[in-house]
Amino acid sequence: MHRVFQDMAADDAVAILPSGHLDSNEDNMRPAQSSVHRRTGLGVVAARAALAGVLTLSACNDGGTAGGDAGSPTDRLVAALGRRDAIEATTNERITASGERFDPGESSVPGTTWLVSEFTMTATTELGADRARTELNVDAAFPRRAELAFTEVRSGGRGYVAGHDNVFAAGPTPPLAIPAARVASAEKHADLVSPLRLLRRALAEEGGIRADGLAEVDGKELEVLRITLAGRPDVRMFLDPASHLPVKSETTEDHPPIGDATVEAIYGDYRKVGALTLPHAVTLRVGGLDIHKEVRSKIELNVGTDADFYALLGDTSAAPHDHGHAVFAQRSSEWLLSFGFMGLPIFYDIQTGTPKSAELAPGVHLLTGTTHHSLLIEMSDHLVLVEAPLYEEWTAGVLEEIKRLSSKPLKRIVATHFHYDHSGGIRGIAAEGGVTVSVGKAGADFFRDVFARPHTVSPDRLEQAKVPVAIDEVESLKRLTDPARREVELHVIETEHAQGMVVVYLPAEKLLFNADLFSPGDPINEKSAGELYDAITRLKLDVERSVGAHGAGAAGPVATLAAPKEAAKR
Ligand SMILES: [Zn+2]
Ligand SMILES: [Zn+2]
């Protein structure tokens, strides 16, 4: 398995996943490219809509139950998926699938995705109750390779995981309680990828589904249904004009740092399963980029489950239901799940509170979090912060700690690179006002976009403060000179990890700060550590100590550069 870069153009060439193909470069996908308007994603939807129509016609020829034009759009949807009594009598759905997960927030080039894992899974979900059991095998490719296999069970807002779900763990663990955010994001995802589940949930809630007019998609008028479920942003479901089957469901999530993110679940390859007609291919698309492709080899309905099947094992009271974290997950579920599919379940633990600070040199503080650290540098009359990670819920505490350490105003944030987990909290800090953000040139457009985009799903501090934020593009070197206090150098270096990567060097202190290339105390990534070491050598930086945005941080030793040096020699 190789890391796969997917750019927008290649993405738009993907028509649908008609018969178990995942590879967008398959020759049989190519004809779709010419028939699709590539300016927007809507053309692809239309192509899918047309195909869904064809599939249903053949289902009709086979004696299928596609509905007529009578009644409301909801009636037409119900008739297309199956008979109402059959839909309501369905107790559960078991999906056996394989697929790929891509991520737009951790790729090398802003605006592209890359493959983070391949997976196979069997997911059994009850339709009339919040109970689910998923067996997942994840072949993780990024940020590190690992073969993971685990079982996740959810029941009544709680859940546990058993097995190996963490690329940093040595092996499987016994059943462990999972946090509320993991339960909530998995449930929302399960609904979005299954029109049957979405419909059942919508029908069960008063006013849960209603007609929402027509939407013109590539010259065709599609009926739209609006699904309103408690605690979640609305979902709009688009029906194919011929078959009345859902072409896609669309919702908006909050994905730090980009804010409002359109999430589309695009359904295809509809086939009969008993009395129902269900999609056997689902693609999730965020902001026009495919992030999840799933092909179902089998869908079973009304499977028998014994009493133990959904029983919660382990001490699930150890992870008490946290409403705030569940709310976070309801509006940012695919953001969280992307880290889950990387084998980084720690992201489901929503981080709040304040970092621990340690003064590495006079006026130079490392602010250490559970997973992500920042560096605060005091200049004579202002402060510079390197890294504003995760999300505003975390950087609110970073800001608190900064104010405790110094009364000087924060005037500059250095963003090492655009990765979502390293930049997600930047708007919350920039909302203080009067802040310039220094970024590597290749990431400048991304950050300009971050400060311009709407954040309506979760209106953040900047959405409310509406203060301007200046972007400072660093081509290769920027010196922040402050003769009274110190000099700070921002170097942009070449890395595979991310374009426009900035490392921060303090010449007088002989201190280097980097993100993701070399994290003291963490396992070495030879490629990244080697790139860092080569850059230090080329730039002739006299580094005595190195700290990372991850790793041992203030609590552990500040590393020397022996480790990347060794990596570079290999
Ligand atoms: Zn990164
Ligand atoms: Zn990182």
Side-chain angles (χ1 to χ4, degrees):
M1 185 166 57
H2 306 286
R3 277 180 194 164
V4 176
F5 288 88
Q6 258 201 322
D7 62 26
M8 295 275 266
D11 180 66
D12 274 359
V14 182
I16 199 168
L17 309 167
S19 55
H21 291 295
L22 281 171
D23 188 346
S24 61
N25 295 320
E26 290 280 336
D27 283 335
N28 61 358
M29 299 288 181
R30 294 244 164 91
Q33 192 169 358
S34 58
S35 65
V36 162
H37 290 291
R38 292 172 62 183
R39 274 177 293 115
T40 69
L42 296 178
V44 179
V45 171
R48 288 181 166 127
L51 188 44
V54 169
L55 287 164
T56 307
L57 283 176
S58 63
C60 287
N61 292 341
D62 294 342
T65 55
D69 284 357
S72 70
T74 305
D75 294 337
R76 285 190 278 282
L77 166 66
V78 168
L81 287 179
R83 295 192 318 269
R84 185 163 195 133
D85 59 344
I87 288 172
E88 286 180 345
T90 305
T91 57
N92 58 31
E93 181 181 35
R94 175 173 291 169
I95 294 170
T96 302
S98 61
E100 294 170 304
R101 185 84 184 188
F102 303 88
D103 196 284
E106 305 295 322
S107 60
S108 186
V109 183
T112 68
T113 65
W114 70 9
L115 181 76
V116 294
S117 61
E118 294 177 333
F119 62 88
T120 59
M121 63 153 207
T122 302
T124 310
T125 58
E126 293 298 307
L127 295 176
D130 280 336
R131 286 200 294 275
R133 182 185 181 100
T134 306
E135 322 277 346
L136 256 165
N137 290 290
V138 176
D139 187 359
F142 178 88
R144 55 179 29 217
R145 290 178 180 281
E147 305 267 334
L148 308 175
F150 55 95
T151 300
E152 192 176 288
V153 175
R154 309 186 300 274
S155 180
R158 293 176 186 272
Y160 76 84
V161 63
H164 190 189
D165 70 336
N166 184 338
V167 293
F168 286 103
T173 58
L176 290 172
I178 58 175
R182 184 165 181 171
V183 174
S185 53
E187 268 169 16
K188 189 175 152 199
H189 174 87
D191 289 346
L192 200 59
V193 298
S194 166
L196 175 62
R197 271 183 68 87
L198 254 186
L199 177 64
R200 278 290 297 268
R201 252 197 218 280
L203 292 173
E205 285 201 23
E206 184 68 36
I209 186 165
R210 63 182 193 276
D212 194 20
L214 298 167
E216 191 175 314
V217 178
D218 207 38
K220 280 191 186 178
E221 289 207 321
L222 269 57
E223 282 187 313
V224 183
L225 288 163
R226 181 171 289 268
I227 294 170
T228 303
L229 300 173
R232 295 183 188 174
D234 281 3
V235 175
R236 295 171 77 219
M237 187 183 268
F238 295 71
L239 305 187
D240 177 74
S243 68
H244 310 303
L245 287 165
V247 172
K248 66 166 181 170
S249 294
E250 187 181 294
T251 189
T252 310
E253 293 198 343
D254 179 65
H255 288 188
I258 64 164
D260 291 3
T262 304
V263 178
E264 298 165 275
I266 296 153
Y267 313 117
D269 194 15
Y270 275 95
R271 293 186 212 168
K272 300 284 287 177
V273 181
L276 307 187
T277 302
L278 300 174
H280 285 65
V282 175
T283 296
L284 287 182
R285 178 171 284 196
V286 174
L289 295 170
D290 290 356
I291 63 151
H292 182 111
K293 296 181 183 180
E294 188 174 305
V295 169
R296 284 106 185 242
S297 57
K298 192 160 62 171
I299 299 178
E300 299 156 272
L301 303 173
N302 303 318
V303 294
T305 56
D306 61 28
D308 293 340
F309 193 68
Y310 299 115
L312 291 179
L313 306 180
D315 183 9
T316 50
S317 65
H321 183 79
D322 184 304
H323 181 68
H325 293 188
V327 168
F328 183 106
Q330 295 281 24
R331 59 174 202 237
S332 306
S333 42
E334 294 302 328
W335 190 93
L336 288 170
L337 283 160
S338 279
F339 294 106
F341 274 99
M342 287 176 212
L344 301 172
I346 195 166
F347 277 87
Y348 294 118
D349 294 306
I350 308 304
Q351 296 177 45
T352 56
T354 50
K356 289 193 197 84
S357 59
E359 198 164 17
L360 304 179
V364 180
H365 306 267
L366 186 62
L367 310 180
T368 303
T370 306
T371 56
H372 290 69
H373 321 322
S374 301
L375 190 72
L376 181 70
I377 305 166
E378 283 187 40
M379 307 299 268
S380 52
D381 64 352
H382 70 279
L383 303 171
V384 175
L385 181 71
V386 186
E387 291 276 280
L390 295 171
Y391 26 69
E392 184 172 294
E393 288 78 353
W394 170 250
T395 50
V398 171
L399 208 48
E400 221 177 279
E401 184 61 12
I402 291 171
K403 288 175 179 171
R404 195 188 67 78
L405 289 168
S406 171
S407 58
K408 293 173 190 171
L410 179 71
K411 289 202 173 160
R412 187 179 299 270
I413 305 171
V414 178
T416 59
H417 64 307
F418 79 96
H419 284 176
Y420 289 5
D421 62 315
H422 287 268
S423 62
I426 201 162
R427 285 175 50 100
I429 293 196
E432 289 289 290
V435 171
T436 296
V437 175
S438 291
V439 299
K441 193 168 189 246
D445 284 343
F446 173 85
F447 281 98
R448 267 190 278 274
D449 205 30
V450 159
F451 293 110
R453 287 174 53 92
H455 283 59
T456 61
V457 174
S458 176
D460 60 0
R461 291 185 67 222
L462 189 61
E463 181 80 13
Q464 290 154 39
K466 295 203 186 315
V467 294
V469 180
I471 299 283
D472 167 41
E473 283 184 31
V474 183
E475 177 110 40
S476 61
L477 167 64
K478 172 150 194 133
R479 284 198 176 84
L480 310 177
T481 308
D482 181 358
R485 187 73 206 231
R486 75 177 87 251
E487 200 163 84
V488 179
E489 294 179 5
L490 313 182
H491 292 276
V492 178
I493 68 171
E494 287 279 319
T495 65
E496 181 190 72
H497 186 82
Q499 279 190 352
M501 177 66 88
V502 176
V503 297
V504 178
Y505 176 61
L506 277 59
E509 294 79 4
K510 299 187 178 183
L511 184 80
L512 184 82
F513 180 95
N514 86 94
D516 290 342
L517 303 174
F518 169 58
S519 307
D522 282 1
I524 297 266
N525 177 318
E526 291 178 16
K527 171 87 180 162
S528 297
E531 286 170 340
L532 178 64
Y533 188 77
D534 289 346
I536 291 166
T537 310
R538 179 176 57 80
L539 298 166
K540 298 186 172 60
L541 306 182
D542 182 9
V543 178
E544 272 181 7
R545 295 180 297 166
S546 162
V547 284
H550 303 293
V558 177
T560 66
L561 281 169
K565 190 173 177 177
E566 285 307 304
K569 278 189 206 155
R570 282 173 217 159

